């Protein structure tokens, strides 16, 4: 079955710097890759997603890149702010109807 | 719309007791999921239901059963709780080709 790895497990950056989180997946049939943000004590919420027919997607300060050949995808956050501090999860699935497998998460701390 | 709701919010059980976690969504979503979240382990899929009338095992199904009661409701049952099942449980749903919406979670402690 699908296995998703995520690095780093923790990340500290200065406010205004960029943060990059990387994920790899094992199932070459996966074609949907969402990213979720979970603030302390709250539920995960989708921040951006990408499908296999697209190499990059941007939404304001957030971007995701996908390399299907290498089976890895990354989240890029620019101009980080203290409110970006949270746990970020990457995930993968064959279709969005199918089971979604999550990575173990990255705890991001943005230092003012 | 309430979105995805879960009951109870908190529960303490003794080893061997049983209980059912309830989940309901009012967004007319087809697919529903149960995850458990443990520190450093991320969200691990227990069971999912791609559509009403179907259920499938996820990554960690042992010790759990599920019922897709109707399109709105998807319950998770622990028949004989064990301390290893202490966790935060999230229910989620999705309509089609897009994001999963999560419930607020149930914090379960098994003594």
């Amino acid at each position: 079955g699908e296995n998703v790895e995520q690095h780093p497990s923790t990340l500290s950056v200065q406010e205004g710097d960029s943060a990059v989180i990387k994920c790899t997946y094992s199932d070459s049939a996966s074609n949907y890759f969402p990213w979720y943000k979970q603030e302390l004590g709250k539920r995960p919420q989708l921040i951006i997603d990408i499908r296999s027919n697209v190499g990059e997607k941007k939404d304001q300060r957030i971007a995701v890149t996908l390399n299907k050949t290498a089976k890895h995808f990354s989240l890029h956050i620019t101009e980080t702010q203290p409110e970006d501090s949270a746990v970020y999860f990457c995930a993968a699935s064959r279709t969005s109807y199918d089971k979604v497998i999550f990575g173990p998460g990255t705890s991001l701390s943005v230092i003012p | 719309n309430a979105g995805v709701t879960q009951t109870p919010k908190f529960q303490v059980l003794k080893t061997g007791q049983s209980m059912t976690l309830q989940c309901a969504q009012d967004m007319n979503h087809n697919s529903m999921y149960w995850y458990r979240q443990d520190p450093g382990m991320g969200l691990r899929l227990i069971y999912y239901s791609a559509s009403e009338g179907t259920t499938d095992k996820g990554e960690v199904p042992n010790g759990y059963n599920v019922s897709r009661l109707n399109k709105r409701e998807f319950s998770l049952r622990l028949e004989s709780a064990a301390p290893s099942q202490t966790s935060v449980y999230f229910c989620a749903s999705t309509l089609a080709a897009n994001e999963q919406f999560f419930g607020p979670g149930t914090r379960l402690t098994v003594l």
Side-chain angles (χ1 to χ4, degrees), chain A residues 3 10-11 22 26-27 32 39-40 49 52 57 64 67 73-75 81-82 86 95 99 107 111:
Chain A
N3 181 51
T10 60
L11 179 60
K22 298 182 179 181
S26 61
D27 186 354
Y32 175 65
E39 296 176 352
L40 190 62
D49 57 12
S52 59
K57 184 177 179 180
V64 58
N67 183 328
F73 55 114
S74 300
L75 177 72
Q81 300 167 4
T95 70
K99 57 185 178 183
S107 178
I111 304 164

Side-chain angles (χ1 to χ4, degrees), chain B residues 14-67:
Chain B
K14 294 181 180 178
T15 297
Q17 288 185 316
S18 62
M19 79 161 294
T20 299
L21 280 65
Q22 306 287 355
C23 175
Q25 50 90 10
D26 61 1
M27 296 175 284
N28 201 34
H29 286 177
N30 294 320
S31 303
M32 298 184 74
Y33 306 78
W34 276 106
Y35 295 93
R36 60 176 290 173
Q37 185 173 34
D38 304 294
M41 302 289 288
L43 293 153
R44 291 185 292 169
L45 182 64
I46 305 171
Y47 271 92
Y48 68 107
S49 171
S51 61
E52 185 179 356
T54 68
T55 60
D56 287 286
K57 294 179 181 179
E59 302 168 274
V60 289
N62 291 347
Y64 305 95
N65 284 301
V66 291
S67 294

Side-chain angles (χ1 to χ4, degrees), chain A residues 70-87:
Chain A
K71 290 191 282 187
H72 67 71
F73 55 114
S74 300
L75 177 72
H76 304 252
I77 306 174
T78 59
E79 300 173 16
T80 54
Q81 300 167 4
E83 51 264 39
D84 294 329
S85 295
V87 178

Side-chain angles (χ1 to χ4, degrees), chain B residues 48-109:
Chain B
Y48 68 107
S49 171
S51 61
E52 185 179 356
T54 68
T55 60
D56 287 286
K57 294 179 181 179
E59 302 168 274
V60 289
N62 291 347
Y64 305 95
N65 284 301
V66 291
S67 294
R68 184 72 183 267
L69 305 170
N70 48 55
K71 192 171 186 179
R72 290 186 63 251
E73 298 172 291
F74 189 38
S75 62
L76 179 72
R77 183 161 178 84
L78 287 71
E79 290 291 351
S80 179
S84 61
Q85 294 177 305
T86 294
S87 189
V88 178
Y89 291 84
F90 285 100
C91 176
S93 70
T94 185
L95 177 59
N98 282 304
E99 71 180 290
Q100 290 189 327
F101 289 85
F102 285 81
T106 294
R107 188 173 295 274
L108 175 67
T109 301

Side-chain angles (χ1 to χ4, degrees), chain A residues 41-81:
Chain A
K42 297 192 175 180
R43 70 193 81 184
Q45 291 189 299
L46 181 79
I47 54 171
I48 195 167
D49 57 12
I50 191 167
R51 301 179 193 281
S52 59
N53 59 343
V54 175
E56 184 176 0
K57 184 177 179 180
K58 286 184 179 180
D59 183 3
Q60 299 183 327
R61 296 186 296 109
I62 294 173
V64 58
T65 58
L66 171 65
N67 183 328
K68 281 222 75 178
T69 303
K71 290 191 282 187
H72 67 71
F73 55 114
S74 300
L75 177 72
H76 304 252
I77 306 174
T78 59
E79 300 173 16
T80 54
Q81 300 167 4

